[in-house]
Amino acid sequence: MIPFNQPKYFGKISSIKKLSRFSSKGLYTKKCEKWLISNIKCKDAILVNSCTSALEMSALLLDIKLNDEIIMPSFTFVSTANAFVLRGGKPVFVDIDKETCNINPSKIEKAITKKTKAIVVVHYAGISCEMDTIIKIAKKHNLYIIEDAAQAIMSTYKGRPLGSIGDLATLSFHETKNIHCGEGGALLINNTKFIKRAKILRDKGTNRDSFDQKIVKKYTWVDYGSSYGLSEINATFLHAQLSQAKKIIRRRLSLFDHYHKLLKKLEIKKLIKRTTIPTYNKTNGHIYYIIIKNNKRDELIKQLTQKKINAVFHYIPLHSSPFGKLNTKIKSPMKNTNFVANNLLRLPMHLHLDRKIQVYIVKQIYNFFKEND
Ligand SMILES: *Cc1c(COP(=O)(O)O)cnc(C)c1O
């Protein structure tokens, strides 16, 4: 079977054996945080145990209270919404743009009410949202912007790294992402007023960080918080990956470009639409997807499985999920969200692929359309 994802390990196990500290906030945590600050150009970075944790910390930092509204797409991973629902907040969904699968900025303003606190943008597949328009809306209505950049490490918008634009941003180092350490994540901070409190939240609600810096003599419970830190074992693993980040992304982009060329004819014949990269974005090759135009996506998945290829759909939109129905609101018809969710197909994308395997995969897709034209 050609897997959809097959994580790769860089670095040496011996560097983990050499550690003298295994819990969070050791040497490698600091190295990773430094790497993130210098490469993503955010004001501060806090290494945490998942992107989900970073999103939960964002909701705490924004003081989300019962029935506060947070505008976001429904076409996203569950944690984008769940982090706010945990605080009593209400995700308000607006439709996506069909070209990019990202939130449609022209639908945002109509969804704003007195209760709106923030806009959460998701850079789907590592492709940037149209940030200038979103920033303008946020400024006009005094709203925070959070970038769910789980899939978007090292992608840029008009030359700016994603994760450096919102008040807060979140990254994922889950094994399905470009850069991974099994499970892990980061909270990136660009609005400096959040820095001090973010560290308290990570440290289980204590001022341990001020204690470590000898600013206070004893540390104690001062705020909400949880155990959000990343173990030093994972941080060591992660640092080896970050050191190779540019190479990893270059390799993914070459696979991305190869798929794009191979699939061109099917787009010309209007049988599929390929991943669209807007001119303002440089992407990181996180996902290569196609949108199937004959409504037979699920049949294609089945046929590819028979040919030992694991290609997968994305996502069941949150507004139509059982828990989403109870805890969220829709502010515009979810036409594009539903269309994309029903017709999008992600092709295998990982560092164990090669061009020959890609040719085989694409050949099976061409064969399917020959039989289903
Ligand atoms: C993967 C992902 C997450 C969750 O990441 P974890 O590190 O697994 O918690 C959140 N949002 C988006 C858009 C993702 O793709």
Side-chain angles (χ1 to χ4, degrees):
M1 197 79 187
I2 301 165
F4 170 69
N5 179 48
Q6 192 179 346
K8 197 164 169 158
Y9 174 65
F10 293 88
K12 296 191 198 89
I13 287 287
S14 61
S15 50
I16 292 174
K17 279 191 181 157
K18 277 186 212 145
L19 292 176
S20 57
R21 176 196 176 119
F22 297 90
S23 61
S24 67
K25 302 209 307 180
L27 180 68
Y28 280 95
T29 295
K30 291 195 178 101
K31 282 185 186 208
C32 291
E33 290 176 345
K34 249 196 191 152
W35 190 97
L36 293 170
I37 293 166
S38 85
N39 284 276
I40 300 191
K41 318 241 178 303
C42 48
K43 298 260 170 61
D44 208 346
I46 297 183
L47 211 58
V48 293
N49 49 32
S50 67
C51 181
T52 301
S53 290
L55 287 160
E56 288 180 25
M57 290 169 77
S58 305
L60 283 161
L61 287 169
L62 265 50
D63 269 324
I64 296 300
K65 300 257 159 40
L66 191 65
N67 294 324
D68 282 348
E69 295 181 357
I70 307 94
I71 292 171
M72 64 178 73
S74 168
F75 187 71
T76 182
F77 187 67
V78 53
S79 299
T80 317
N82 216 355
F84 295 91
V85 172
L86 273 168
R87 312 303 321 149
K90 206 157 249 309
V92 173
F93 296 133
V94 302
D95 205 8
I96 53 171
D97 178 272
K98 226 173 163 173
E99 287 298 307
T100 60
C101 300
N102 284 333
I103 194 163
N104 184 340
S106 72
K107 311 264 180 193
I108 292 176
E109 219 158 8
K110 278 186 221 120
I112 295 173
T113 70
K114 277 188 194 135
K115 292 182 193 158
T116 309
K117 288 277 145 53
I119 303 167
V120 183
V121 300
V122 179
H123 304 297
Y124 180 70
I127 291 167
S128 171
C129 297
E130 199 194 316
M131 292 310 293
D132 280 347
T133 317
I134 295 166
I135 293 166
K136 238 183 243 160
I137 296 168
K139 278 210 176 115
K140 182 173 159 197
H141 296 273
N142 204 17
L143 303 173
Y144 290 113
I145 296 177
I146 299 169
E147 297 177 73
D148 182 341
Q151 305 177 10
I153 190 165
M154 303 292 277
S155 290
T156 60
Y157 171 75
K158 297 188 179 174
R160 298 170 71 185
L162 298 184
S164 70
I165 301 168
D167 293 279
L168 297 166
T170 64
L171 294 178
S172 173
F173 303 120
H174 187 267
E175 69 165 31
T176 49
K177 302 304 199 296
N178 284 22
I179 307 293
H180 83 100
C181 61
E183 305 251 7
L187 177 68
L188 310 180
I189 305 174
N190 299 304
N191 184 335
T192 50
K193 78 170 189 187
F194 292 123
I195 292 176
K196 193 174 166 205
R197 191 162 178 238
K199 290 179 181 170
I200 292 170
L201 298 179
R202 173 191 50 189
D203 288 342
K204 294 107 172 162
T206 72
N207 55 353
R208 176 86 210 205
D209 210 67
S210 300
F211 173 73
D212 290 341
Q213 292 179 54
K214 306 203 177 0
I215 298 166
V216 294
K217 284 206 179 105
K218 289 178 183 143
Y219 73 90
T220 181
W221 185 15
V222 296
D223 200 339
Y224 290 111
S226 191
S227 184
Y228 288 128
L230 183 73
S231 115
E232 198 56 13
I233 301 169
N234 291 64
T236 308
F237 187 114
L238 179 63
H239 187 257
Q241 294 258 330
L242 288 172
S243 313
Q244 305 286 323
K246 285 186 184 133
K247 198 171 104 191
I248 292 170
I249 286 163
R250 229 183 295 129
R251 176 88 186 101
R252 291 185 83 107
L253 282 173
S254 105
L255 295 166
F256 185 104
D257 290 341
H258 194 217
Y259 272 139
H260 207 62
K261 276 200 200 99
L262 292 172
L263 288 156
K264 186 171 177 184
K265 272 193 199 143
L266 284 182
E267 186 170 81
I268 292 170
K269 287 187 182 163
K270 297 195 168 25
L271 296 168
I272 64 163
K273 191 182 94 54
R274 296 175 298 166
T275 310
T276 309
I277 304 171
T279 51
Y280 54 67
N281 171 238
K282 267 212 176 70
T283 187
N284 63 358
H286 177 57
I287 291 175
Y288 194 87
Y289 69 80
I290 54 177
I291 291 174
I292 313 301
K293 293 211 169 154
N294 64 1
N295 274 319
K296 289 185 177 170
R297 192 257 329 254
D298 294 348
E299 281 167 54
L300 175 55
I301 290 178
K302 257 192 226 149
Q303 189 156 326
L304 291 175
T305 308
Q306 281 166 8
K307 302 287 176 190
K308 307 240 178 291
I309 298 163
N310 188 213
V312 289
F313 77 97
H314 231 185
Y315 299 94
I316 299 209
L318 298 180
H319 73 271
S320 49
S321 67
F323 204 68
K325 277 183 196 159
L326 301 174
N327 293 291
T328 65
K329 263 197 228 172
I330 294 173
K331 269 297 171 66
S332 68
M334 293 287 118
K335 198 173 141 243
N336 293 340
T337 302
N338 291 330
F339 174 80
V340 167
N342 288 328
N343 296 293
L344 181 141
L345 181 70
R346 292 179 291 156
L347 303 183
M349 175 58 96
H350 52 79
L351 301 184
H352 298 272
L353 277 185
D354 61 36
R355 293 169 80 88
K356 239 168 66 194
I357 302 174
Q358 285 186 296
V359 168
Y360 170 78
I361 294 167
V362 171
K363 197 169 155 222
Q364 305 314 315
I365 298 173
Y366 273 87
N367 284 346
F368 175 82
F369 281 106
K370 255 185 235 151
E371 293 157 25
N372 289 277
D373 209 351

PDB file of all heavy atoms in Angstrom, residues 9 13 27 53-54 88 99 121 124 230 241 244 269-270 291 306 310 315 321 332 342-343:
ATOM      1  N   TYR A   9      12.082  10.266  10.273  1.00  0.00           N
ATOM      2  CA  TYR A   9      12.827  10.684  11.449  1.00  0.00           C
ATOM      3  C   TYR A   9      14.196  11.218  11.043  1.00  0.00           C
ATOM      4  O   TYR A   9      14.913  10.576  10.288  1.00  0.00           O
ATOM      5  CB  TYR A   9      12.990   9.495  12.408  1.00  0.00           C
ATOM      6  CG  TYR A   9      13.864   9.803  13.595  1.00  0.00           C
ATOM      7  CD1 TYR A   9      13.467  10.754  14.525  1.00  0.00           C
ATOM      8  CD2 TYR A   9      15.086   9.171  13.768  1.00  0.00           C
ATOM      9  CE1 TYR A   9      14.276  11.065  15.608  1.00  0.00           C
ATOM     10  CE2 TYR A   9      15.896   9.477  14.855  1.00  0.00           C
ATOM     11  CZ  TYR A   9      15.478  10.424  15.765  1.00  0.00           C
ATOM     12  OH  TYR A   9      16.283  10.741  16.831  1.00  0.00           O
ATOM     13  N   ILE A  13      19.152   9.195  17.839  1.00  0.00           N
ATOM     14  CA  ILE A  13      18.614   8.791  19.129  1.00  0.00           C
ATOM     15  C   ILE A  13      19.606   9.151  20.238  1.00  0.00           C
ATOM     16  O   ILE A  13      19.231   9.503  21.346  1.00  0.00           O
ATOM     17  CB  ILE A  13      18.338   7.260  19.129  1.00  0.00           C
ATOM     18  CG1 ILE A  13      17.111   6.956  18.277  1.00  0.00           C
ATOM     19  CG2 ILE A  13      18.161   6.716  20.537  1.00  0.00           C
ATOM     20  CD1 ILE A  13      15.775   7.352  18.857  1.00  0.00           C
ATOM     21  N   LEU A  27      17.008  22.677  27.457  1.00  0.00           N
ATOM     22  CA  LEU A  27      17.864  23.274  26.431  1.00  0.00           C
ATOM     23  C   LEU A  27      17.235  23.206  25.033  1.00  0.00           C
ATOM     24  O   LEU A  27      17.242  24.182  24.281  1.00  0.00           O
ATOM     25  CB  LEU A  27      19.211  22.526  26.444  1.00  0.00           C
ATOM     26  CG  LEU A  27      20.236  23.006  25.428  1.00  0.00           C
ATOM     27  CD1 LEU A  27      20.713  24.419  25.788  1.00  0.00           C
ATOM     28  CD2 LEU A  27      21.430  22.038  25.398  1.00  0.00           C
ATOM     29  N   SER A  53      -3.422  22.349  22.138  1.00  0.00           N
ATOM     30  CA  SER A  53      -3.091  23.073  23.371  1.00  0.00           C
ATOM     31  C   SER A  53      -2.863  24.556  23.086  1.00  0.00           C
ATOM     32  O   SER A  53      -3.307  25.417  23.849  1.00  0.00           O
ATOM     33  CB  SER A  53      -1.832  22.491  24.014  1.00  0.00           C
ATOM     34  OG  SER A  53      -2.097  21.217  24.536  1.00  0.00           O
ATOM     35  N   ALA A  54      -2.159  24.852  21.992  1.00  0.00           N
ATOM     36  CA  ALA A  54      -1.887  26.258  21.651  1.00  0.00           C
ATOM     37  C   ALA A  54      -3.194  27.003  21.369  1.00  0.00           C
ATOM     38  O   ALA A  54      -3.349  28.177  21.738  1.00  0.00           O
ATOM     39  CB  ALA A  54      -0.953  26.334  20.451  1.00  0.00           C
ATOM     40  N   GLY A  88     -16.793  28.153  26.643  1.00  0.00           N
ATOM     41  CA  GLY A  88     -18.174  28.647  26.548  1.00  0.00           C
ATOM     42  C   GLY A  88     -18.408  29.509  25.328  1.00  0.00           C
ATOM     43  O   GLY A  88     -19.495  30.053  25.127  1.00  0.00           O
ATOM     44  N   GLU A  99     -11.679  28.679  -4.513  1.00  0.00           N
ATOM     45  CA  GLU A  99     -10.342  28.581  -5.113  1.00  0.00           C
ATOM     46  C   GLU A  99      -9.295  28.107  -4.103  1.00  0.00           C
ATOM     47  O   GLU A  99      -8.458  27.277  -4.404  1.00  0.00           O
ATOM     48  CB  GLU A  99      -9.907  29.951  -5.666  1.00  0.00           C
ATOM     49  CG  GLU A  99     -10.634  30.360  -6.932  1.00  0.00           C
ATOM     50  CD  GLU A  99     -10.379  29.384  -8.078  1.00  0.00           C
ATOM     51  OE1 GLU A  99      -9.204  29.115  -8.364  1.00  0.00           O
ATOM     52  OE2 GLU A  99     -11.366  28.887  -8.659  1.00  0.00           O
ATOM     53  N   VAL A 121      -8.307  32.484  11.475  1.00  0.00           N
ATOM     54  CA  VAL A 121      -8.098  32.071  10.090  1.00  0.00           C
ATOM     55  C   VAL A 121      -7.336  30.756  10.081  1.00  0.00           C
ATOM     56  O   VAL A 121      -6.506  30.510  10.946  1.00  0.00           O
ATOM     57  CB  VAL A 121      -7.334  33.142   9.275  1.00  0.00           C
ATOM     58  CG1 VAL A 121      -8.097  34.443   9.249  1.00  0.00           C
ATOM     59  CG2 VAL A 121      -5.918  33.352   9.809  1.00  0.00           C
ATOM     60  N   TYR A 124      -5.372  26.688   5.084  1.00  0.00           N
ATOM     61  CA  TYR A 124      -5.562  25.291   4.691  1.00  0.00           C
ATOM     62  C   TYR A 124      -4.492  24.836   3.692  1.00  0.00           C
ATOM     63  O   TYR A 124      -4.186  25.545   2.730  1.00  0.00           O
ATOM     64  CB  TYR A 124      -6.966  25.075   4.093  1.00  0.00           C
ATOM     65  CG  TYR A 124      -7.180  23.634   3.680  1.00  0.00           C
ATOM     66  CD1 TYR A 124      -7.309  22.645   4.649  1.00  0.00           C
ATOM     67  CD2 TYR A 124      -7.194  23.258   2.343  1.00  0.00           C
ATOM     68  CE1 TYR A 124      -7.457  21.310   4.293  1.00  0.00           C
ATOM     69  CE2 TYR A 124      -7.347  21.929   1.977  1.00  0.00           C
ATOM     70  CZ  TYR A 124      -7.475  20.962   2.964  1.00  0.00           C
ATOM     71  OH  TYR A 124      -7.616  19.640   2.600  1.00  0.00           O
ATOM     72  N   LEU A 230       5.958  20.934  26.248  1.00  0.00           N
ATOM     73  CA  LEU A 230       6.396  19.775  25.460  1.00  0.00           C
ATOM     74  C   LEU A 230       7.576  19.120  26.163  1.00  0.00           C
ATOM     75  O   LEU A 230       8.506  19.808  26.591  1.00  0.00           O
ATOM     76  CB  LEU A 230       6.828  20.233  24.060  1.00  0.00           C
ATOM     77  CG  LEU A 230       7.239  19.117  23.090  1.00  0.00           C
ATOM     78  CD1 LEU A 230       6.030  18.324  22.611  1.00  0.00           C
ATOM     79  CD2 LEU A 230       7.986  19.694  21.890  1.00  0.00           C
ATOM     80  N   GLN A 241      14.433  18.002  13.357  1.00  0.00           N
ATOM     81  CA  GLN A 241      13.568  18.247  12.197  1.00  0.00           C
ATOM     82  C   GLN A 241      13.648  19.710  11.743  1.00  0.00           C
ATOM     83  O   GLN A 241      13.732  19.990  10.556  1.00  0.00           O
ATOM     84  CB  GLN A 241      12.112  17.941  12.567  1.00  0.00           C
ATOM     85  CG  GLN A 241      11.841  16.492  12.863  1.00  0.00           C
ATOM     86  CD  GLN A 241      11.160  15.801  11.709  1.00  0.00           C
ATOM     87  OE1 GLN A 241      10.419  16.419  10.951  1.00  0.00           O
ATOM     88  NE2 GLN A 241      11.405  14.526  11.565  1.00  0.00           N
ATOM     89  N   GLN A 244      16.401  20.681   9.627  1.00  0.00           N
ATOM     90  CA  GLN A 244      16.286  20.221   8.235  1.00  0.00           C
ATOM     91  C   GLN A 244      15.076  20.837   7.526  1.00  0.00           C
ATOM     92  O   GLN A 244      14.723  20.411   6.426  1.00  0.00           O
ATOM     93  CB  GLN A 244      16.116  18.692   8.198  1.00  0.00           C
ATOM     94  CG  GLN A 244      17.186  17.909   8.912  1.00  0.00           C
ATOM     95  CD  GLN A 244      18.480  17.900   8.126  1.00  0.00           C
ATOM     96  OE1 GLN A 244      18.479  17.835   6.901  1.00  0.00           O
ATOM     97  NE2 GLN A 244      19.593  18.009   8.823  1.00  0.00           N
ATOM     98  N   LYS A 269      -9.307  19.392 -19.262  1.00  0.00           N
ATOM     99  CA  LYS A 269     -10.546  18.690 -19.678  1.00  0.00           C
ATOM    100  C   LYS A 269     -11.706  18.949 -18.723  1.00  0.00           C
ATOM    101  O   LYS A 269     -12.777  18.365 -18.870  1.00  0.00           O
ATOM    102  CB  LYS A 269     -10.288  17.184 -19.727  1.00  0.00           C
ATOM    103  CG  LYS A 269      -9.444  16.744 -20.898  1.00  0.00           C
ATOM    104  CD  LYS A 269      -9.403  15.215 -20.920  1.00  0.00           C
ATOM    105  CE  LYS A 269      -8.526  14.688 -22.037  1.00  0.00           C
ATOM    106  NZ  LYS A 269      -8.190  13.272 -21.797  1.00  0.00           N
ATOM    107  N   LYS A 270     -11.455  19.796 -17.703  1.00  0.00           N
ATOM    108  CA  LYS A 270     -12.474  20.180 -16.716  1.00  0.00           C
ATOM    109  C   LYS A 270     -13.019  18.989 -15.904  1.00  0.00           C
ATOM    110  O   LYS A 270     -14.173  18.976 -15.467  1.00  0.00           O
ATOM    111  CB  LYS A 270     -13.634  20.921 -17.388  1.00  0.00           C
ATOM    112  CG  LYS A 270     -13.219  22.249 -18.029  1.00  0.00           C
ATOM    113  CD  LYS A 270     -14.441  23.086 -18.353  1.00  0.00           C
ATOM    114  CE  LYS A 270     -14.177  24.522 -18.728  1.00  0.00           C
ATOM    115  NZ  LYS A 270     -12.909  24.898 -19.292  1.00  0.00           N
ATOM    116  N   ILE A 291      -9.842  18.636  -6.720  1.00  0.00           N
ATOM    117  CA  ILE A 291     -11.283  18.636  -6.524  1.00  0.00           C
ATOM    118  C   ILE A 291     -11.912  17.965  -7.737  1.00  0.00           C
ATOM    119  O   ILE A 291     -11.671  18.344  -8.882  1.00  0.00           O
ATOM    120  CB  ILE A 291     -11.806  20.071  -6.298  1.00  0.00           C
ATOM    121  CG1 ILE A 291     -11.284  20.534  -4.931  1.00  0.00           C
ATOM    122  CG2 ILE A 291     -13.325  20.117  -6.357  1.00  0.00           C
ATOM    123  CD1 ILE A 291     -11.566  21.951  -4.581  1.00  0.00           C
ATOM    124  N   GLN A 306      -8.121  -0.045  -4.231  1.00  0.00           N
ATOM    125  CA  GLN A 306      -7.898  -1.324  -4.920  1.00  0.00           C
ATOM    126  C   GLN A 306      -6.537  -1.375  -5.599  1.00  0.00           C
ATOM    127  O   GLN A 306      -5.936  -2.431  -5.741  1.00  0.00           O
ATOM    128  CB  GLN A 306      -8.994  -1.559  -5.968  1.00  0.00           C
ATOM    129  CG  GLN A 306     -10.288  -2.049  -5.349  1.00  0.00           C
ATOM    130  CD  GLN A 306     -11.458  -1.949  -6.321  1.00  0.00           C
ATOM    131  OE1 GLN A 306     -11.280  -1.644  -7.500  1.00  0.00           O
ATOM    132  NE2 GLN A 306     -12.654  -2.199  -5.830  1.00  0.00           N
ATOM    133  N   ASN A 310      -3.453   4.977  -0.909  1.00  0.00           N
ATOM    134  CA  ASN A 310      -4.289   5.566   0.129  1.00  0.00           C
ATOM    135  C   ASN A 310      -4.418   7.070  -0.096  1.00  0.00           C
ATOM    136  O   ASN A 310      -3.545   7.847   0.278  1.00  0.00           O
ATOM    137  CB  ASN A 310      -3.674   5.258   1.503  1.00  0.00           C
ATOM    138  CG  ASN A 310      -4.562   5.664   2.657  1.00  0.00           C
ATOM    139  OD1 ASN A 310      -4.092   6.055   3.711  1.00  0.00           O
ATOM    140  ND2 ASN A 310      -5.871   5.601   2.449  1.00  0.00           N
ATOM    141  N   TYR A 315     -12.715  17.785   5.012  1.00  0.00           N
ATOM    142  CA  TYR A 315     -13.054  17.273   6.321  1.00  0.00           C
ATOM    143  C   TYR A 315     -14.556  17.044   6.316  1.00  0.00           C
ATOM    144  O   TYR A 315     -15.241  17.623   5.477  1.00  0.00           O
ATOM    145  CB  TYR A 315     -12.869  18.369   7.372  1.00  0.00           C
ATOM    146  CG  TYR A 315     -11.484  18.949   7.544  1.00  0.00           C
ATOM    147  CD1 TYR A 315     -11.103  20.096   6.860  1.00  0.00           C
ATOM    148  CD2 TYR A 315     -10.587  18.377   8.447  1.00  0.00           C
ATOM    149  CE1 TYR A 315      -9.851  20.662   7.071  1.00  0.00           C
ATOM    150  CE2 TYR A 315      -9.343  18.953   8.657  1.00  0.00           C
ATOM    151  CZ  TYR A 315      -8.978  20.082   7.971  1.00  0.00           C
ATOM    152  OH  TYR A 315      -7.757  20.632   8.165  1.00  0.00           O
ATOM    153  N   SER A 321     -21.209  18.363  11.827  1.00  0.00           N
ATOM    154  CA  SER A 321     -20.815  17.295  12.758  1.00  0.00           C
ATOM    155  C   SER A 321     -21.797  17.249  13.931  1.00  0.00           C
ATOM    156  O   SER A 321     -22.431  18.266  14.229  1.00  0.00           O
ATOM    157  CB  SER A 321     -19.405  17.582  13.287  1.00  0.00           C
ATOM    158  OG  SER A 321     -19.423  18.750  14.092  1.00  0.00           O
ATOM    159  N   SER A 332     -23.416  32.312   7.056  1.00  0.00           N
ATOM    160  CA  SER A 332     -23.673  32.440   5.622  1.00  0.00           C
ATOM    161  C   SER A 332     -23.878  31.023   5.110  1.00  0.00           C
ATOM    162  O   SER A 332     -23.440  30.073   5.752  1.00  0.00           O
ATOM    163  CB  SER A 332     -22.506  33.131   4.919  1.00  0.00           C
ATOM    164  OG  SER A 332     -21.360  32.309   4.918  1.00  0.00           O
ATOM    165  N   ASN A 342     -17.264  17.504  -0.101  1.00  0.00           N
ATOM    166  CA  ASN A 342     -17.774  16.334  -0.828  1.00  0.00           C
ATOM    167  C   ASN A 342     -16.896  15.924  -1.996  1.00  0.00           C
ATOM    168  O   ASN A 342     -17.058  14.829  -2.536  1.00  0.00           O
ATOM    169  CB  ASN A 342     -19.188  16.613  -1.354  1.00  0.00           C
ATOM    170  CG  ASN A 342     -20.205  16.634  -0.236  1.00  0.00           C
ATOM    171  OD1 ASN A 342     -20.045  15.904   0.745  1.00  0.00           O
ATOM    172  ND2 ASN A 342     -21.229  17.460  -0.365  1.00  0.00           N
ATOM    173  N   ASN A 343     -16.016  16.808  -2.438  1.00  0.00           N
ATOM    174  CA  ASN A 343     -15.305  16.539  -3.695  1.00  0.00           C
ATOM    175  C   ASN A 343     -13.788  16.629  -3.627  1.00  0.00           C
ATOM    176  O   ASN A 343     -13.107  16.358  -4.611  1.00  0.00           O
ATOM    177  CB  ASN A 343     -15.829  17.486  -4.782  1.00  0.00           C
ATOM    178  CG  ASN A 343     -17.295  17.235  -5.077  1.00  0.00           C
ATOM    179  OD1 ASN A 343     -17.658  16.192  -5.601  1.00  0.00           O
ATOM    180  ND2 ASN A 343     -18.153  18.161  -4.678  1.00  0.00           N
TER     181      ASN A 343
END
